[in-house]
Amino acid sequence: MRVKLWDLIKERLQTELSESEYKFFEKAKASDLEPDHVMRIICDNDYVLNIMQKVFDVKLRRILMELGYPMVKLVYEVRKDEKEDEKKDPVIEVRDVNVEASRYGLNSKYTFENFVTGKNNEMAYTAARAVAHAPGSEYNPFFIYGGVGLGKTHLLHAIGNDILKRRRNTKILLITTEELISKIVEAIQKRKMNEFRSKIRSFEILLIDDIHFLAGADFSQEALFHIFNSFYNEKKQVVFTADRAPWELDNIAERLVDRFSWGLVTDIKPPEYETRLAILKLKAEERGLEVPNDVLELIAKNVKKNVRLLESCIIKLYALQSTKNIKINLAIAQKVLSDIFSKSQSSDLEDVLITVSEYYNLPKTEIMSKKQKKELVHARQVSMFIMKNVLNMSIVEIARFFGKDHTTVLHAIEKIENLLDKDEKLKNEILEIEKMLKRV
């Protein structure tokens, strides 16, 4: 069966965008490619059209180029869905679990069954299943933290989907922190805060994604504090996800941080090699894509810290095979996935920079700058040395990352190497930074 180009684009977008951003594409439609290479993006209203053009146009064009369609011209149109107008009753009758999941903002694709477990996420997965089996009892609140693209949002949706599968009438609210802040601000402006709180308290399960975005939003923190207390006192389940542990969150009230830690706090780490391979095999099987083992191994070796990027690799190969009927082999995979491999490596380089910045207590921007202060030059040279000797990055890649000439990078690395044998303090510094990196 021929796969539509728009469906492939949406699959890529789902791996790259947050839940709130992707919602703009859930109802958007697109025409098949017209003879003059035009693709029409059909939007529900002028507001969505404006967002598509101003916010997402560059990303859409980039994805089209990566999928092998650089000549496509995007045209945005507003077209009302006549079928929507025919609907008189907005209430959804509960007949299908997937329909009900969609009603509560849950993505029915995210389940426990298609979540690949390993040493990196076993605790989070086991606890999430326990929460879904007995919400509001043992682990309340449940707080999952970890880096971008590791599966936090997947588990959040899986909890909601599993509860709905067991108890279809359970009222679940899944909301991103950005959406929550927006609704709180709107309620304050319209002087409807009591009405807003009552509405949220009518739900039995509260799932909040990316709670770290609450930083600095004082009014929203105050509102969430009271909402949380209400849920907790009534033994209603609350689940949070974040990029950091509660005690590492900046600009969030201490009493909220304290409540985040009342139940179970668990992390998800980057997947080890075997888990990455298992994820790739599952994603390929889900699409009916035959990928040689050496290609899967190539991807698993190059993409180490982000499950979304692993999925992006499979989607890109799937697009190549389904739209252009090209058989996947090692040489083709190496060529078409080089941009994703590069993005993954950039993430590793960024980790080194962040770790060195923390160790020496120097701003990242200063280390990356051209300033020649002694402490900045030292931190810069140590960063380059670790990138080369720990991450096995090439001189060219490191030079590109810092915006330097390759001879400058080579000189920096050689200087650190020459000092290591006679400078015990420097040797200890690098060992400590390497230990910190292993925890990233």
Side-chain angles (χ1 to χ4, degrees), residues 172-367:
I172 297 171
L173 175 61
L174 186 142
I175 190 167
T176 68
T177 301
E178 292 160 304
E179 289 171 327
L180 180 65
I181 292 171
S182 174
K183 290 181 183 298
I184 289 171
V185 169
E186 184 183 357
I188 291 171
Q189 288 173 343
K190 293 181 177 179
R191 297 183 179 180
K192 291 184 176 180
M193 200 60 203
N194 288 335
E195 185 181 323
F196 170 76
R197 283 178 183 160
S198 297
K199 189 174 180 181
I200 283 201
R201 287 170 182 167
S202 69
F203 289 93
E204 298 162 77
I205 310 288
L206 179 60
L207 311 172
I208 304 181
D209 207 6
D210 292 334
I211 199 66
H212 50 274
F213 287 127
L214 200 63
D218 295 340
F219 286 114
S220 298
Q221 289 184 31
E222 178 71 20
L224 180 60
F225 176 77
H226 294 294
I227 291 166
F228 174 87
N229 285 343
S230 171
F231 269 74
Y232 185 82
N233 291 333
E234 293 175 33
K235 297 191 181 333
K236 294 179 178 180
Q237 183 68 51
V238 184
V239 184
F240 300 104
T241 72
D243 63 356
R244 282 155 284 169
W247 47 88
E248 293 175 343
L249 295 172
D250 299 319
N251 300 317
I252 290 184
E254 192 174 332
R255 61 181 183 169
L256 258 183
V257 170
D258 180 53
R259 277 157 177 76
F260 292 160
S261 309
W262 276 2
L264 177 67
V265 177
T266 185
D267 68 334
I268 299 181
K269 294 182 176 69
E272 67 278 6
Y273 177 75
E274 290 78 10
T275 305
R276 297 198 297 271
L277 264 182
I279 291 168
L280 289 165
K281 286 176 181 175
L282 176 68
K283 297 301 177 186
E285 284 171 10
E286 284 177 348
R287 289 171 174 78
L289 176 67
E290 290 185 14
V291 188
N293 281 333
D294 57 355
V295 172
L296 295 177
E297 289 166 4
L298 171 75
I299 299 169
K301 285 172 184 173
N302 280 278
V303 180
K304 299 176 182 177
K305 295 195 174 183
N306 192 315
V307 175
R308 283 186 202 161
L309 284 183
L310 290 173
E311 189 168 8
S312 287
C313 291
I314 295 299
I315 291 170
K316 196 163 186 180
L317 294 178
Y318 179 61
L320 195 67
Q321 189 178 80
S322 58
T323 62
K324 299 193 174 182
N325 202 26
I326 294 174
K327 191 173 181 180
I328 306 302
N329 59 38
L330 194 61
I332 287 171
Q334 181 74 64
K335 183 179 178 182
V336 301
L337 300 177
S338 59
D339 60 323
I340 298 178
F341 293 165
S342 177
K343 187 187 291 185
S344 181
Q345 288 167 353
S346 294
S347 171
D348 291 341
L349 294 170
E350 185 73 22
D351 285 342
V352 172
L353 183 64
I354 290 168
T355 306
V356 170
S357 165
E358 288 177 1
Y359 182 80
Y360 290 114
N361 196 24
L362 294 168
K364 287 190 304 177
T365 50
E366 296 285 282
I367 298 173

Side-chain angles (χ1 to χ4, degrees), residues 75-92:
V75 175
Y76 299 91
E77 295 178 359
V78 173
R79 196 182 299 170
K80 225 176 178 185
D81 191 340
E82 291 175 6
K83 289 181 182 177
E84 285 294 318
D85 287 344
E86 291 171 8
K87 292 180 183 176
K88 294 177 183 178
D89 186 359
V91 178
I92 300 172

Side-chain angles (χ1 to χ4, degrees), residues 365-389:
T365 50
E366 296 285 282
I367 298 173
M368 291 290 286
S369 72
K370 295 180 181 179
K371 293 179 181 178
Q372 293 300 307
K373 285 184 181 178
K374 188 178 178 181
E375 65 271 21
L376 292 175
V377 171
H378 178 70
R380 201 174 296 140
Q381 291 175 340
V382 167
S383 299
M384 292 174 179
F385 172 83
I386 290 172
M387 288 170 180
K388 177 70 175 71
N389 290 276

